[in-house]
Short mmCIF file of all heavy atoms in Angstrom, two decimals:
data_model
loop_
_atom_site.label_atom_id
_atom_site.label_comp_id
_atom_site.label_asym_id
_atom_site.label_seq_id
_atom_site.Cartn_x
_atom_site.Cartn_y
_atom_site.Cartn_z
N VAL A 1 19.46 -27.39 -30.54
CA VAL A 1 19.96 -27.33 -29.23
C VAL A 1 20.87 -26.16 -29.00
O VAL A 1 20.75 -25.49 -28.03
CB VAL A 1 20.67 -28.62 -28.82
CG1 VAL A 1 21.41 -28.58 -27.48
CG2 VAL A 1 19.66 -29.83 -28.83
N GLU A 2 21.83 -26.00 -29.92
CA GLU A 2 22.81 -24.89 -29.69
C GLU A 2 22.13 -23.52 -29.83
O GLU A 2 22.45 -22.59 -29.20
CB GLU A 2 23.85 -25.05 -30.68
CG GLU A 2 25.05 -24.04 -30.54
CD GLU A 2 26.25 -24.36 -31.40
OE1 GLU A 2 26.32 -25.41 -31.98
OE2 GLU A 2 27.09 -23.47 -31.54
N VAL A 3 21.20 -23.41 -30.82
CA VAL A 3 20.50 -22.13 -31.10
C VAL A 3 19.73 -21.84 -29.81
O VAL A 3 19.70 -20.63 -29.32
CB VAL A 3 19.48 -22.27 -32.20
CG1 VAL A 3 18.60 -21.04 -32.33
CG2 VAL A 3 20.31 -22.44 -33.54
N LEU A 4 19.05 -22.73 -29.21
CA LEU A 4 18.18 -22.46 -28.05
C LEU A 4 19.16 -22.10 -26.81
O LEU A 4 18.83 -21.28 -26.06
CB LEU A 4 17.25 -23.72 -27.66
CG LEU A 4 16.18 -23.92 -28.60
CD1 LEU A 4 15.59 -25.26 -28.36
CD2 LEU A 4 15.08 -22.91 -28.48
N GLY A 5 20.26 -22.82 -26.85
CA GLY A 5 21.21 -22.55 -25.73
C GLY A 5 21.82 -21.15 -25.87
O GLY A 5 21.99 -20.49 -24.78
N GLU A 6 22.08 -20.70 -27.04
CA GLU A 6 22.65 -19.34 -27.21
C GLU A 6 21.52 -18.27 -26.89
O GLU A 6 21.84 -17.21 -26.21
CB GLU A 6 23.08 -19.11 -28.64
CG GLU A 6 24.33 -19.88 -28.95
CD GLU A 6 24.77 -19.75 -30.41
OE1 GLU A 6 24.07 -19.02 -31.14
OE2 GLU A 6 25.85 -20.34 -30.76
N LEU A 7 20.28 -18.54 -27.19
CA LEU A 7 19.14 -17.65 -26.87
C LEU A 7 18.98 -17.55 -25.41
O LEU A 7 18.68 -16.48 -24.89
CB LEU A 7 17.90 -18.05 -27.59
CG LEU A 7 17.80 -17.89 -29.14
CD1 LEU A 7 16.56 -18.58 -29.64
CD2 LEU A 7 17.86 -16.37 -29.46
N GLN A 8 19.09 -18.67 -24.65
CA GLN A 8 19.02 -18.68 -23.22
C GLN A 8 20.23 -17.92 -22.60
O GLN A 8 20.06 -17.11 -21.67
CB GLN A 8 19.01 -20.08 -22.72
CG GLN A 8 18.82 -20.19 -21.26
CD GLN A 8 18.80 -21.61 -20.73
OE1 GLN A 8 19.40 -22.51 -21.39
NE2 GLN A 8 18.41 -21.79 -19.48
N ALA A 9 21.39 -18.14 -23.21
CA ALA A 9 22.61 -17.51 -22.60
C ALA A 9 22.54 -15.98 -22.77
O ALA A 9 23.10 -15.27 -21.84
CB ALA A 9 23.85 -18.10 -23.27
N THR A 10 21.95 -15.46 -23.77
CA THR A 10 21.87 -14.01 -23.95
C THR A 10 20.65 -13.38 -23.29
O THR A 10 20.45 -12.19 -23.26
CB THR A 10 21.81 -13.72 -25.44
OG1 THR A 10 20.59 -14.37 -26.09
CG2 THR A 10 23.06 -14.17 -26.23
N GLY A 11 19.79 -14.28 -22.63
CA GLY A 11 18.64 -13.76 -21.98
C GLY A 11 17.46 -13.58 -22.79
O GLY A 11 16.45 -12.82 -22.40
N ALA A 12 17.53 -13.97 -24.01
CA ALA A 12 16.30 -13.79 -24.95
C ALA A 12 15.15 -14.68 -24.65
O ALA A 12 13.99 -14.32 -24.71
CB ALA A 12 16.75 -14.02 -26.38
N ILE A 13 15.46 -15.92 -24.02
CA ILE A 13 14.47 -16.84 -23.55
C ILE A 13 14.85 -17.32 -22.15
O ILE A 13 15.99 -17.18 -21.79
CB ILE A 13 14.29 -17.99 -24.49
CG1 ILE A 13 15.55 -18.92 -24.55
CG2 ILE A 13 13.93 -17.57 -25.89
CD1 ILE A 13 15.36 -20.19 -25.38
N GLU A 14 13.86 -17.64 -21.35
CA GLU A 14 14.12 -18.28 -20.10
C GLU A 14 13.32 -19.59 -19.92
O GLU A 14 12.11 -19.61 -20.41
CB GLU A 14 13.68 -17.24 -19.01
CG GLU A 14 14.56 -16.05 -18.87
CD GLU A 14 14.13 -15.08 -17.78
OE1 GLU A 14 13.10 -15.32 -17.23
OE2 GLU A 14 14.89 -14.12 -17.57
N TYR A 15 13.88 -20.50 -19.23
CA TYR A 15 13.19 -21.84 -18.99
C TYR A 15 12.76 -21.86 -17.53
O TYR A 15 13.40 -21.22 -16.59
CB TYR A 15 14.15 -23.00 -19.17
CG TYR A 15 14.51 -23.21 -20.58
CD1 TYR A 15 15.79 -22.86 -21.17
CD2 TYR A 15 13.62 -23.76 -21.46
CE1 TYR A 15 16.19 -23.11 -22.51
CE2 TYR A 15 13.91 -24.06 -22.79
CZ TYR A 15 15.12 -23.74 -23.28
OH TYR A 15 15.43 -24.00 -24.62
N SER A 16 11.62 -22.54 -17.34
CA SER A 16 11.20 -22.85 -15.88
C SER A 16 10.58 -24.26 -15.93
O SER A 16 10.19 -24.71 -16.94
CB SER A 16 10.23 -21.76 -15.49
OG SER A 16 9.09 -21.73 -16.36
N LEU A 17 10.55 -24.83 -14.79
CA LEU A 17 9.93 -26.12 -14.63
C LEU A 17 8.80 -26.11 -13.77
O LEU A 17 8.86 -25.71 -12.53
CB LEU A 17 11.01 -27.11 -14.05
CG LEU A 17 10.66 -28.62 -14.05
CD1 LEU A 17 10.46 -29.16 -15.49
CD2 LEU A 17 11.75 -29.41 -13.29
N VAL A 18 7.59 -26.44 -14.23
CA VAL A 18 6.36 -26.44 -13.50
C VAL A 18 5.65 -27.75 -13.66
O VAL A 18 5.39 -28.21 -14.80
CB VAL A 18 5.37 -25.32 -14.03
CG1 VAL A 18 4.09 -25.36 -13.24
CG2 VAL A 18 6.05 -23.98 -13.88
N ASN A 19 5.52 -28.48 -12.49
CA ASN A 19 4.86 -29.81 -12.52
C ASN A 19 5.53 -30.69 -13.55
O ASN A 19 4.92 -31.39 -14.30
CB ASN A 19 3.40 -29.67 -12.81
CG ASN A 19 2.63 -28.94 -11.70
OD1 ASN A 19 3.05 -28.97 -10.61
ND2 ASN A 19 1.53 -28.38 -12.13
N ARG A 20 6.86 -30.73 -13.54
CA ARG A 20 7.74 -31.61 -14.38
C ARG A 20 7.61 -31.21 -15.87
O ARG A 20 8.04 -32.01 -16.76
CB ARG A 20 7.43 -33.04 -14.21
CG ARG A 20 7.61 -33.52 -12.71
CD ARG A 20 7.36 -34.99 -12.56
NE ARG A 20 7.59 -35.38 -11.21
CZ ARG A 20 7.44 -36.72 -10.80
NH1 ARG A 20 7.11 -37.58 -11.62
NH2 ARG A 20 7.67 -37.01 -9.54
N VAL A 21 6.99 -30.16 -16.21
CA VAL A 21 6.84 -29.64 -17.61
C VAL A 21 7.77 -28.50 -17.78
O VAL A 21 7.75 -27.45 -17.00
CB VAL A 21 5.41 -29.35 -17.92
CG1 VAL A 21 5.35 -28.74 -19.40
CG2 VAL A 21 4.53 -30.44 -17.75
N THR A 22 8.64 -28.48 -18.77
CA THR A 22 9.59 -27.41 -19.13
C THR A 22 8.83 -26.41 -19.88
O THR A 22 8.32 -26.63 -20.99
CB THR A 22 10.83 -27.90 -19.81
OG1 THR A 22 11.50 -28.90 -19.02
CG2 THR A 22 11.76 -26.77 -20.18
N LEU A 23 8.82 -25.13 -19.39
CA LEU A 23 8.18 -23.97 -20.08
C LEU A 23 9.25 -23.02 -20.61
O LEU A 23 10.31 -22.94 -19.94
CB LEU A 23 7.23 -23.33 -19.16
CG LEU A 23 6.10 -24.13 -18.49
CD1 LEU A 23 5.31 -23.31 -17.53
CD2 LEU A 23 5.24 -24.79 -19.53
N VAL A 24 8.97 -22.42 -21.70
CA VAL A 24 9.80 -21.42 -22.24
C VAL A 24 9.17 -20.09 -22.34
O VAL A 24 8.03 -20.03 -22.63
CB VAL A 24 10.30 -21.82 -23.71
CG1 VAL A 24 11.42 -20.97 -24.21
CG2 VAL A 24 10.64 -23.27 -23.82
N GLU A 25 9.88 -19.05 -21.90
CA GLU A 25 9.29 -17.75 -21.95
C GLU A 25 10.20 -16.81 -22.81
O GLU A 25 11.33 -16.78 -22.70
CB GLU A 25 9.27 -17.22 -20.54
CG GLU A 25 8.62 -15.82 -20.34
CD GLU A 25 8.66 -15.30 -18.93
OE1 GLU A 25 9.23 -15.94 -18.13
OE2 GLU A 25 7.98 -14.26 -18.73
N LEU A 26 9.46 -15.97 -23.58
CA LEU A 26 10.12 -14.97 -24.34
C LEU A 26 10.24 -13.72 -23.55
O LEU A 26 9.28 -13.11 -23.02
CB LEU A 26 9.27 -14.62 -25.61
CG LEU A 26 9.87 -13.46 -26.53
CD1 LEU A 26 11.11 -13.91 -27.12
CD2 LEU A 26 8.84 -13.21 -27.60
N THR A 27 11.53 -13.27 -23.21
CA THR A 27 11.77 -12.15 -22.37
C THR A 27 11.64 -10.82 -23.13
O THR A 27 11.53 -10.84 -24.35
CB THR A 27 13.16 -12.27 -21.71
OG1 THR A 27 14.09 -12.19 -22.74
CG2 THR A 27 13.37 -13.63 -21.03
#
């Protein structure tokens, strides 16, 4: 959880919600 949170905070990954499914994108 913390690792993913840090990656999101630094802009390395981005989350989006499509049809109630959480998607992860490598930026």
Side-chain angles (χ1 to χ4, degrees):
V1 170
E2 186 172 346
V3 168
L4 291 168
E6 290 178 0
L7 289 173
Q8 182 185 18
T10 58
I13 63 174
E14 291 181 351
Y15 289 107
S16 59
L17 189 64
V18 178
N19 294 333
R20 300 183 180 180
V21 176
T22 301
L23 302 178
V24 191
E25 180 179 10
L26 178 65
T27 65

